[in-house]
Amino acid sequence: MTVSARTQRLKGGLIQYALSVTSGLANFAALKILQHTAPNHAVYSQLSTILLSFTTYQLLTDLGTQTEFFRTFKNSERRELPALLHILLQSRLALGIVSFLVAAGYAFLAGFSSEMTLAFLVYQLAFIPFAFVSTADSFFLASEDFGRAILSRVARLVALALFLCSATLNKTNILLVSSLFSTLTFIIFAFATWFLLLRPHARGDHSLPILSLRWWQQAGELKKPFLAGSAIAGAFVVLQFVQSFVAQAFLVRSIGETSLSAINTSLAVATPAILAFQTLNQLQLPSVAQWTKANNKEIKTSLLRYAFRIGVVFVLMTTGLWIAHRLGWVSWFFPLSNTAVVQLSLITIATHAILNLGSPTLVLCQYKKRIQPLFWGMLISILMSWACQFTLTSFWPEAALLLSLLLFSILIGFFGLIILELHKSKDLNAS
């Protein structure tokens, strides 16, 4: 990598992290203002639940397509990119519809009220136009143009601001109107993203509509590895989503939609750390496709460097949170918070640190076709995490959810490393 390439990558990383911090501060501000302006604790619990659901459903709308897009992009010729871009976009649009249907099922299983269900579904409709924004981010990440892969974060910030303004100023139908303003924001961003950024890169030899299935024909042999790889990666995303889906629905069923203030506030407090880990992960994942051609020593070196970065962020974030708590800043910023909120936030930070730490390892296992052992490893991790939550719920329901997620993160990271070591041993024996 040349000096200029390193400089560009560093700039892109700094831009993404700056937006991550901004997003964290925006979540801080949004939930702080809601704590002061919501009519009561019950409405605050509902609004914060809708607001914080974005991350969970964003996972489902990717469903492994980004992982495989990176690898297919690296092996594609320039003339093949328009078709590849279109099949990614069409896949994301379909997943946005699937996400909406899953959200409807979640609202039923969680026992949401009719008002909460309607607002929740309107909010999740945003993932259909979000397909355009996320596709642009994936394209620029694959191109290693990290400075431009920021659209989803910018759109999220604007949508958050409008959601907050509506929830603060509106006196009737607060849940529904706030969700509607958020979704309209993503619709506007979708149009702007397509016409200003994606369309120039998506022009092929033939002028075809966005949703034309002929793009799949033009993709030729590219669509086969894309579909196969996305299906494999998507299966593991579905497993992770199911784990979170069931765990969260069980929590809401246990304590009710109007009693989620503590855990929602703790997630907001942990947001800067979560976004920092996600930024490091996004910067690392495009390089994982190249690890399949690297030797074991190079892979181990890259993993250790990545682990060091995650570790540094973890130490900084937990230390900062502890200092802020001791100085009274957390309780000043979030009047409804208490010591339990800080404890829940620390568990959340640890969970996301380990989850993002193991992400490149899991992706590498998929690239190396270690599908079956990884599937069974994740399934065992999910069942053990549910058992953990069920056992601890009677003591502290919110902590039971987070500790189950922490156990899940530790187990899947452990299984990923074991699978890679076994794969390495087989390679050595074969040689």
Side-chain angles (χ1 to χ4, degrees):
M1 185 182 293
T2 63
V3 175
S4 60
R6 287 196 188 95
T7 302
Q8 183 179 4
R9 191 183 182 96
L10 179 60
K11 284 183 179 179
L14 289 174
I15 291 172
Q16 291 220 355
Y17 183 67
L19 280 172
S20 295
V21 173
T22 303
S23 297
L25 292 175
N27 273 328
F28 278 166
L31 290 176
K32 175 176 173 56
I33 293 172
L34 286 178
Q35 287 195 354
H36 289 284
T37 59
N40 50 58
H41 285 200
V43 174
Y44 168 77
S45 176
Q46 291 171 316
L47 285 171
S48 57
T49 297
I50 293 173
L51 203 62
L52 295 172
S53 69
F54 189 89
T55 303
T56 301
Y57 287 88
Q58 186 177 1
L59 179 69
L60 183 61
T61 56
D62 172 62
L63 204 64
T65 54
Q66 177 157 289
T67 298
E68 192 55 36
F69 179 76
F70 287 155
R71 182 164 63 168
T72 309
F73 183 92
K74 298 293 183 183
N75 299 325
S76 304
E77 298 180 10
R78 189 174 184 84
R79 61 182 176 81
E80 298 173 317
L81 293 182
L84 181 61
L85 196 57
H86 274 89
I87 66 174
L88 175 65
L89 175 59
Q90 290 180 18
S91 299
R92 294 269 173 87
L93 287 168
L95 290 171
I97 297 173
V98 170
S99 176
F100 176 78
L101 297 176
V102 171
Y106 177 83
F108 173 76
L109 290 175
F112 283 162
S113 63
S114 57
E115 182 185 9
M116 178 68 171
T117 297
L118 179 59
F120 187 75
L121 293 181
V122 168
Y123 188 79
Q124 305 308 327
L125 270 176
F127 282 110
I128 297 176
F130 183 75
F132 289 87
V133 182
S134 64
T135 296
D137 275 6
S138 294
F139 174 78
F140 290 122
L141 281 171
S143 305
E144 298 192 358
D145 187 356
F146 300 113
R148 299 178 68 185
I150 58 175
L151 290 170
S152 59
R153 296 184 189 277
V154 173
R156 178 78 180 103
L157 284 171
V158 177
L160 177 63
L162 291 179
F163 182 98
L164 177 63
C165 289
S166 176
T168 303
L169 300 176
N170 187 43
K171 301 302 179 183
T172 58
N173 296 322
I174 297 176
L175 302 181
L176 177 59
V177 175
S178 301
S179 299
L180 182 60
F181 270 94
S182 177
T183 297
L184 287 174
T185 301
F186 285 105
I187 293 174
I188 294 171
F189 263 86
F191 277 101
T193 298
W194 172 253
F195 287 106
L196 298 179
L197 292 173
L198 278 183
R199 196 176 182 184
H201 296 285
R203 289 173 179 168
D205 297 331
H206 303 90
S207 179
L208 297 173
I210 297 175
L211 299 180
S212 173
L213 295 179
R214 289 177 60 188
W215 285 112
W216 292 82
Q217 298 175 356
Q218 286 200 13
E221 293 300 315
L222 287 179
K223 65 176 177 289
K224 293 181 180 178
F226 177 81
L227 285 173
S230 295
I232 292 171
F236 294 107
V237 173
V238 167
L239 285 175
Q240 293 183 55
F241 182 83
V242 167
Q243 193 282 333
S244 179
F245 182 94
V246 173
Q248 292 183 26
F250 182 74
L251 173 67
V252 178
R253 275 282 185 183
S254 300
I255 66 176
E257 69 183 54
T258 59
S259 302
L260 300 168
S261 296
I263 191 165
N264 288 347
T265 302
S266 70
L267 290 172
V269 172
T271 295
I274 294 172
L275 292 173
F277 295 137
Q278 290 176 349
T279 299
L280 290 176
N281 190 33
Q282 281 189 325
L283 293 174
Q284 187 65 53
L285 282 184
S287 302
V288 177
Q290 301 170 3
W291 291 2
T292 55
K293 301 176 183 179
N295 58 48
N296 292 323
K297 184 178 179 180
E298 292 172 337
I299 293 174
K300 187 174 292 186
T301 300
S302 298
L303 282 174
L304 288 174
R305 287 174 180 169
Y306 177 65
F308 176 75
R309 297 187 192 106
I310 291 288
V312 169
V313 171
F314 174 77
V315 171
L316 290 175
M317 292 297 176
T318 52
T319 302
L321 176 57
W322 181 81
I323 293 173
H325 171 60
R326 297 294 295 177
L327 294 176
W329 293 350
V330 175
S331 58
W332 172 81
F333 207 92
F334 296 104
L336 299 181
S337 67
N338 49 36
T339 303
V341 167
V342 175
Q343 293 171 347
L344 292 172
S345 298
L346 290 172
I347 300 173
T348 302
I349 293 173
T351 299
H352 283 270
I354 297 173
L355 191 62
N356 283 277
L357 179 61
S359 179
T361 304
L362 299 179
V363 172
L364 186 58
C365 286
Q366 295 169 39
Y367 284 163
K368 287 181 172 291
K369 308 300 182 185
R370 308 303 297 164
I371 307 304
Q372 188 173 352
L374 184 58
F375 174 85
W376 287 112
M378 290 193 69
L379 186 58
I380 292 171
S381 302
I382 288 172
L383 295 176
M384 290 185 68
S385 71
W386 286 344
C388 173
Q389 182 180 5
F390 180 77
T391 303
L392 298 177
T393 290
S394 58
F395 299 100
W396 189 1
E398 295 92 340
L401 169 68
L402 295 176
L403 289 172
S404 72
L405 292 174
L406 178 59
L407 177 62
F408 173 74
S409 302
I410 293 171
L411 288 174
I412 60 172
F414 171 76
F415 280 120
L417 289 174
I418 293 297
I419 291 168
L420 284 179
E421 282 297 316
L422 291 176
H423 180 78
K424 180 178 69 174
S425 300
K426 289 183 178 181
D427 286 347
L428 291 174
N429 292 333
S431 60

